[in-house]
């Protein structure tokens, strides 16, 4: 979703701001803008649509020649995508400009009061209320005005603000929306700072910071100076490029064997698993645990479903899974005897964060599986395990999904062994199998050529069905989500046994049905399900192992997954479905990295 960048220093601000915004394009946005202080005046330029529009608009603009400025990519929440609603917003006297990530919940009250005092509003955004509130408090000291305003604001915000009276300074403030600071820089996403500075500090809720070219001074909400740790940036400039690939998604798909090794295999040695983050989860704790509860959104929720399968079958711990937005909508039974796990690539997903906070309030022990270091979820959970996927730029997740699935499957082995549901030799053989996953994914990647052919047969489809059972059902859910979000082909996923309870009515001559069958114990049942739809005209695309002859013989097309131990076989199947979705989207002429209407980091409810 929205992205913030700020710069003050000896360089020209505009190219720094545009570069930072370009690095955050992956987050999703519908307008962009910059404000630069030039000769003591603030100049604002904004454009609807892609960043390229803003680049065109600002090219050669001598009035943007200053050394201090702020930039923003906006994902509309209050007010449609338009130039008026795009950030930065400029005060009526032209002396203060502000960009904002988050949502100001009491903006209507603030706006009413300010309207009564005669402040004019030019946009439909909640952000403008924050800007005008700061104006109303400003009497020459930016910190006082920001602190007084933040005390009145409810909701979430990361602000970057410039004052024409202080042409070499940036001001920032945050509540529940991430913000990093470094001398000369501020940004909402570490990626925007890659290659610009070596280390940065995440400011905390309530913090306000003043930034010059060579200093950062951080204050708490009462304007007392505070220290926040500066840590090396986890993102390197070269990780933010496409390399030899034509899209980030293709690059990220290809990185999965290495990501799995970094995330999972590196934790295994001498027949043991190392999870130092949770080494106090001993046998007594795990045996007394009433249940595990997993909450997440989208693809991470699909990982949660697999987690339920793993924790129940391997570690014999009852496990519930709930979409985070639903978790917030009912009174879920979670207490101190629950281990509450949240899974999130970004670590900023608003619903997942809210679910985590509710579970903490209810007394549950919380564990987060997160990719982005420093993210809010990673800082608020009692325990955190980081996936080592590196920056994931394509909006549709691929390598982060595989890394999350890797961690949850390894955790189930760890819990099972610690509890005693698997013995040393059982653990050894499972570790041997999980260590083989990177090679299995690697051997699936050359099937790209096959994916291209299969994609040809799918590209004009109106509706596609995915079928699976058990783990394969969850893998199919993920495959279907990938196809929908980047190729815009409608698809539905069914637990194979459920199809005949109504939905089989939708199968017509030529309807593509993707049958995911990686579990030998379920081959026969899956072949029956495939036969049922085949005789109603379905075009069957099987994703299965070479030995599953029954299914392969009745399929119109079969993508053969590498041989793998059943528990870990879905990894290869998901990689096939990622490639298939990617090829379909390309054939249909879409940008696979930036699907319409989607944001990478969903920071609003
Ligand atoms: C799908 C996708 C989304 C995310 C979901 C959760 O490709 O990327 O469904 O999985 O928005 O995001 P995180 O993992 O950042 O909490």
């Amino acid at each position: 979703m929205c992205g913030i960048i700020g710069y003050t220093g000896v360089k020209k601000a505009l190219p720094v701001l545009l570069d930072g915004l370009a690095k955050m394009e992956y987050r999703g946005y519908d307008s962009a803008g910059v404000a630069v202080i030039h000769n003591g005046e603030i100049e604002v330029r904004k454009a609807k649509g892609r960043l390229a529009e803003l680049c065109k608009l600002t090219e050669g603009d001598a009035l943007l020649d200053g050394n201090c400025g702020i930039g923003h990519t906006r994902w509309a929440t209050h007010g449609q995508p338009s130039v008026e609603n795009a950030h930065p917003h400029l005060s009526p006297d032209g002396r203060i400009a502000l960009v904002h990530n988050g949502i100001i919940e009491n903006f209507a009250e603030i706006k009413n009061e300010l309207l009564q005092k005669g402040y004019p509003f030019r946009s439909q955004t909640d952000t403008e209320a924050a800007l005008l509130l700061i104006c109303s408090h400003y009497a020459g000291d930016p910190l006082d005005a920001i602190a007084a305003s933040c005390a009145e604001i409810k909701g979430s915000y990361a602000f970057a603000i410039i004052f024409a009276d202080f042409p070499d300074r940036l001001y920032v403030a945050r509540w529940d929306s991430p913000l990093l600071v470094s001398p000369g820089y501020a940004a909402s996403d570490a990626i925007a700072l890659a290659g610009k500075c070596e280390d940065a500090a995440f400011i905390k809720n309530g913090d306000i910071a003043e930034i010059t070219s060579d200093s950062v001074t951080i204050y708490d909400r009462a304007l007392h100076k505070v220290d926040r740790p500066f840590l090396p940036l986890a993102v390197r400039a070269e990780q933010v490029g496409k390399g030899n690939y034509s899209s980030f998604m293709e690059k990220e798909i290809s990185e999965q064997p290495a990501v799995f090794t970094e995330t999972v295999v590196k934790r295994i040695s001498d027949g043991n698993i190392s999870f130092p983050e949770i080494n106090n989860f001993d046998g007594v704790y795990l045996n007394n645990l009433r249940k595990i509860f997993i909450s997440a959104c989208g693809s991470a929720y699909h990982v949660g479903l697999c987690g339920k399968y793993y924790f129940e079958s391997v570690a014999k711990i009852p496990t519930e899974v709930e979409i985070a937005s639903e978790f917030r909508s009912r009174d879920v039974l979670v207490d101190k005897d629950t281990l509450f796990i949240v899974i999130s690539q970004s670590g900023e997903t608003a619903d997942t964060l809210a679910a985590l906070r509710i579970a903490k309030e209810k007394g549950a022990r919380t564990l987060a599986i997160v990719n982005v270091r420093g993210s809010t979820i990673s800082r608020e959970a009692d325990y955190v395990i980081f996936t080592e996927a590196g920056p994931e730029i394509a909006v549709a997740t691929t390598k982060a999904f595989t890394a999350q699935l890797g961690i949850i499957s390894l955790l189930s082995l760890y819990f099972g062994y610690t509890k005693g549901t698997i013995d040393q030799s059982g653990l050894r053989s499972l570790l041997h199998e999980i260590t083989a996953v990177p090679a299995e994914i690697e051997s699936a990647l050359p099937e790209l050529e096959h994916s291209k052919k299969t994609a040809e047969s799918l590209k004009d489809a109106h509706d596609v069905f995915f079928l699976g059972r058990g783990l394969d059902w969850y893998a199919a859910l993920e495959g279907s989500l990938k196809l929908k979000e980047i190729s815009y082909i409608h698809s539905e996923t069914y637990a194979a046994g459920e199809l005949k309870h109504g939905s089989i009515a939708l199968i017509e001559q030529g309807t593509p049905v993707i049958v995911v069958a990686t579990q030998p114990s379920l081959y026969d049942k899956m072949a029956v399900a495939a036969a049922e739809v085949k005789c109603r005209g379905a075009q069957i695309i099987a994703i299965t192992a070479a030995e599953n002859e029954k299914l392969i013989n009745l399929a119109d097309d079969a993508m053969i997954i590498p041989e793998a131990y059943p528990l870990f076989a879905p990894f290869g199947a998901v990689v096939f479905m990622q490639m298939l979705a990617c090829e379909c989207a390309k054939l249909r002429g879409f940008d696979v990295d930036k699907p319409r209407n989607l944001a990478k980091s969903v920071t609003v409810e």
Side-chain angles (χ1 to χ4, degrees):
M1 286 190 151
C2 306
I4 290 177
I5 175 83
Y7 172 72
T8 181
V10 292
K11 294 186 224 166
K12 297 287 174 215
L14 182 65
V16 178
L17 300 179
L18 292 176
D19 177 75
L21 294 181
K23 294 209 166 98
M24 290 186 289
E25 272 197 291
Y26 80 101
R27 299 173 66 89
Y29 67 101
D30 39 49
S31 58
V34 287
V36 174
I37 305 181
H38 177 252
N39 287 344
E41 303 289 330
I42 299 178
E43 297 290 335
V44 175
R45 304 288 182 272
K46 308 195 271 194
K48 192 179 152 192
R50 294 284 195 214
L51 188 59
E53 299 301 320
L54 182 68
C55 294
K56 254 191 256 161
L57 183 73
T58 53
E59 205 178 337
D61 188 335
L63 292 178
L64 296 173
D65 216 18
N67 307 92
C68 176
I70 49 179
H72 192 257
T73 43
R74 172 176 187 254
W75 199 85
T77 55
H78 291 71
Q80 65 197 23
S82 67
V83 171
E84 251 170 21
N85 290 334
H87 305 199
H89 290 279
L90 185 65
S91 61
D93 62 2
R95 307 297 292 165
I96 308 174
L98 170 145
V99 293
H100 165 221
N101 286 359
I103 289 190
I104 305 208
E105 285 163 11
N106 60 339
F107 87 97
E109 291 93 306
I110 297 174
K111 185 170 177 174
N112 277 341
E113 276 176 31
L114 291 168
L115 282 170
Q116 278 167 23
K117 289 183 187 162
Y119 284 91
F121 278 76
R122 290 180 286 207
S123 76
Q124 290 98 50
T125 62
D126 52 338
T127 302
E128 203 178 6
L131 168 72
L132 295 183
L133 187 61
I134 291 171
C135 285
S136 74
H137 284 296
Y138 183 59
D141 186 333
L143 290 169
D144 281 344
I146 297 168
S149 305
C150 289
E152 289 178 42
I153 290 172
K154 293 198 184 101
S156 59
Y157 56 80
F159 295 133
I161 313 159
I162 49 175
F163 292 75
D165 298 345
F166 297 86
D168 59 351
R169 273 153 218 238
L170 294 174
Y171 292 89
V172 298
R174 79 152 267 174
W175 191 273
D176 275 0
S177 192
L179 202 56
L180 289 122
V181 292
S182 189
Y185 296 97
S188 55
D189 187 327
I191 284 180
L193 298 182
K196 297 185 177 66
C197 52
E198 294 295 310
D199 46 23
F202 274 97
I203 59 169
K204 289 195 168 170
N205 272 353
D207 286 355
I208 299 170
E210 183 181 56
I211 302 169
T212 67
S213 61
D214 56 8
S215 72
V216 175
T217 316
I218 307 176
Y219 303 87
D220 66 11
R221 55 207 313 187
L223 291 181
H224 297 127
K225 277 191 193 174
V226 287
D227 279 331
R228 303 291 177 225
F230 278 73
L231 300 170
L233 277 183
V235 185
R236 296 187 309 279
E238 66 273 18
Q239 289 178 301
V240 195
K242 281 185 202 158
N244 293 328
Y245 292 87
S246 57
S247 67
F248 281 107
M249 184 168 179
E250 288 159 282
K251 175 176 175 246
E252 288 162 8
I253 288 174
S254 77
E255 285 169 357
Q256 290 179 106
V259 163
F260 194 93
T261 302
E262 279 297 309
T263 305
V264 176
V265 179
K266 283 212 167 155
R267 290 180 178 269
I268 302 169
S269 82
D270 292 337
N272 283 310
I273 306 168
S274 148
F275 271 120
E277 304 88 335
I278 50 165
N279 60 9
N280 58 341
F281 286 25
D282 57 15
V284 178
Y285 167 68
L286 289 170
N287 273 306
N288 286 327
L289 201 58
R290 190 127 59 103
K291 67 176 167 194
I292 292 176
F293 199 111
I294 307 176
S295 197
C297 303
S299 295
Y301 167 70
H302 299 153
V303 173
L305 291 170
C306 296
K308 174 179 167 64
Y309 186 101
Y310 287 126
F311 288 130
E312 292 191 337
S313 63
V314 179
K316 311 292 177 211
I317 305 175
T319 304
E320 280 184 58
V321 196
E322 182 85 277
I323 293 169
S325 54
E326 285 298 309
F327 180 85
R328 303 176 74 170
S329 312
R330 67 185 180 92
D331 189 14
V332 178
L333 299 179
V334 163
D335 60 20
K336 64 174 185 31
D337 297 322
T338 310
L339 172 62
F340 191 82
I341 302 181
V342 287
I343 307 168
S344 176
Q345 187 284 129
S346 61
E348 301 295 346
T349 302
D351 285 319
T352 310
L353 177 60
L356 171 74
R357 288 176 177 167
I358 294 168
K360 276 183 94 168
E361 265 167 35
K362 292 187 173 204
R365 186 181 269 205
T366 58
L367 166 64
I369 299 172
V370 176
N371 194 43
V372 177
R373 283 181 161 74
S375 55
T376 312
I377 290 176
S378 75
R379 280 179 289 116
E380 292 202 11
D382 299 323
Y383 299 87
V384 59
I385 296 174
F386 287 106
T387 47
E388 302 295 344
E392 192 180 58
I393 312 279
V395 167
T397 181
T398 52
K399 60 176 180 170
F401 171 89
T402 292
Q404 292 164 347
L405 192 56
I407 284 291
I408 213 106
S409 51
L410 192 69
L411 259 187
S412 74
L413 307 189
Y414 182 77
F415 286 0
Y417 180 63
T418 310
K419 271 188 75 187
T421 56
I422 39 178
D423 61 15
Q424 181 77 57
S425 81
L427 180 68
R428 269 191 184 276
S429 81
L430 285 166
L431 291 180
H432 174 73
E433 299 295 352
I434 204 170
T435 306
V437 170
E440 286 155 17
I441 300 177
E442 196 76 63
S443 69
L445 295 174
E447 288 294 317
L448 184 63
E449 287 314 309
H450 192 151
S451 312
K452 286 184 181 160
K453 275 194 221 125
T454 308
E456 271 297 338
S457 74
L458 281 184
K459 73 175 198 307
D460 299 318
H462 211 261
D463 302 291
V464 174
F465 284 81
F466 285 77
L467 296 184
R469 261 179 193 264
L471 272 179
D472 290 335
W473 177 29
Y474 311 140
L477 281 166
E478 177 59 11
S480 167
L481 181 61
K482 289 283 93 83
L483 187 70
K484 278 186 276 216
E485 66 186 333
I486 60 168
S487 77
Y488 318 144
I489 297 174
H490 170 252
S491 70
E492 295 261 355
T493 309
Y494 282 94
E498 188 63 12
L499 191 69
K500 52 181 160 309
H501 298 287
S503 323
I504 200 165
L506 294 171
I507 303 293
E508 292 174 354
Q509 193 60 40
T511 305
V513 178
I514 299 178
V515 180
V516 185
T518 70
Q519 306 294 301
S521 61
L522 298 171
Y523 281 172
D524 286 347
K525 286 190 193 308
M526 290 308 296
V528 169
E532 275 169 359
V533 287
K534 170 103 180 164
C535 68
R536 286 162 179 85
Q539 171 208 340
I540 307 283
I541 299 161
I543 298 184
T544 193
E547 63 188 17
N548 190 359
E549 284 174 11
K550 252 192 213 163
L551 180 60
I552 293 170
N553 288 340
L554 64 82
D556 299 275
D557 182 8
M559 299 180 81
I560 305 300
I561 55 162
E563 225 176 90
Y565 186 72
L567 264 189
F568 311 122
F571 284 99
V574 167
V575 173
F576 273 15
M577 290 185 275
Q578 294 168 347
M579 294 193 293
L580 191 57
C582 188
E583 291 308 319
C584 275
K586 280 165 51 186
L587 285 174
R588 287 161 65 86
F590 300 125
D591 179 344
V592 296
D593 289 337
K594 295 182 203 125
R596 70 185 180 206
N597 302 338
L598 290 175
K600 182 74 182 158
S601 181
V602 184
T603 48
V604 294
E605 194 176 327

